């Protein structure tokens, strides 16, 4: 099972990085083949809405997104780990998502099917917010729409409030255990 995970925080070693570490540990324990992409290390421009992808379902903007397209094509599980920034996903996450407009075009305009994969494509959100009560609904809606473009099902989220400082998740063994368990379920066929 190929699990493709995006670490979308600009802060290395922060809460969502730590959560993702433990989610992937759980997935590996179930035998998953895991790849972790740190989005801040990739040069991905925002979508320019040129509709260049309407021809063949391929993004015509030449930057590091081109490295991710083939991975997204064959991933069986996709995980987005993002901090909440002003109620939504980070800018790094949103740039990736918007560039996936080419997958929307591939599915709905060009009608070129995704390649078959051994297990159904599924997507997951892992997120942290500083506020004790703020909801993650906006992220959930975006995940659903994004996964549909990738011909995947949005299958669940692991979200935590009251995580503010970089080490808050790492200091909470209960949270880390929840993340490991979540990773194990993700890797189940
Ligand atoms: C630009 C920015 C915007 C933020 N906006 C929110 C917000 O709207 N609601 C919230 O609860 N926390 C907000 N936070 C706090 C982060 O979500 C929180 O610190 C989170 O744990 C960071 O995760 P990370 O360590 O993985 O980057 C914001 C932080 C930053 C830097």
């Amino acid at each position: 099972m190929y699990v493709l995970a995006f670490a979308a925080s600009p802060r290395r070693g922060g809460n969502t990085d730590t959560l993702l570490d433990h989610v992937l540990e759980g997935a590996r324990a179930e035998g998953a083949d895991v790849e972790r992409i740190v989005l801040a290390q990739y040069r991905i421009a925002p979508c320019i809405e040129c509709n260049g992808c309407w021809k063949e379902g391929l993004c015509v903007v030449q930057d590091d997104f081109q490295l991710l397209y083939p991975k997204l094509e064959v991933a069986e599980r996709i995980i987005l780990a993002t901090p909440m920034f002003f109620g939504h996903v980070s800018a790094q996450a949103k740039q990736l998502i918007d560039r996936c407009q080419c997958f929307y075009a591939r599915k709905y305009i060009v009608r070129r099917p995704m390649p078959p994969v051994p297990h159904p494509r599924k997507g997951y959100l892992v997120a942290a917010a500083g506020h004790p009560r703020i909801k993650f609904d906006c992220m959930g809606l975006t995940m659903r729409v994004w996964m549909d473009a990738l011909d995947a099902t949005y299958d669940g989220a692991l979200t935590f409030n009251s995580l503010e400082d970089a080490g808050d998740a790492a200091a909470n063994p209960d949270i880390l255990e929840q993340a490991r368990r979540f990773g194990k379920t993700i890797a189940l066929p």
Side-chain angles (χ1 to χ4, degrees), residues 127-189:
H131 192 274
R133 287 178 305 281
I134 196 161
K135 294 189 185 320
F136 294 81
D137 310 17
C138 290
M139 294 186 185
L141 176 61
T142 296
M143 284 297 296
R144 197 162 296 119
V145 179
W146 181 34
M147 287 305 123
D148 178 71
L150 294 172
D151 227 15
T153 311
Y154 174 45
D155 199 40
L158 181 73
T159 61
F160 293 101
N161 293 89
S162 302
L163 297 181
E164 184 70 58
D165 296 333
D168 284 351
N172 189 326
D174 177 52
I175 283 179
L176 302 182
E177 182 50 29
Q178 283 186 58
R180 251 187 307 261
R181 280 205 304 270
F182 189 72
K184 282 178 178 240
T185 60
I186 283 175
L188 295 177

Side-chain angles (χ1 to χ4, degrees), residues 9-11 14-17 82-88 128-131 134 163-166:
S9 175
R11 177 160 79 174
N15 293 314
T16 52
D17 251 12
T82 178
M84 178 178 286
F85 282 177
F86 289 93
H88 216 298
H131 192 274
I134 196 161
L163 297 181
E164 184 70 58
D165 296 333

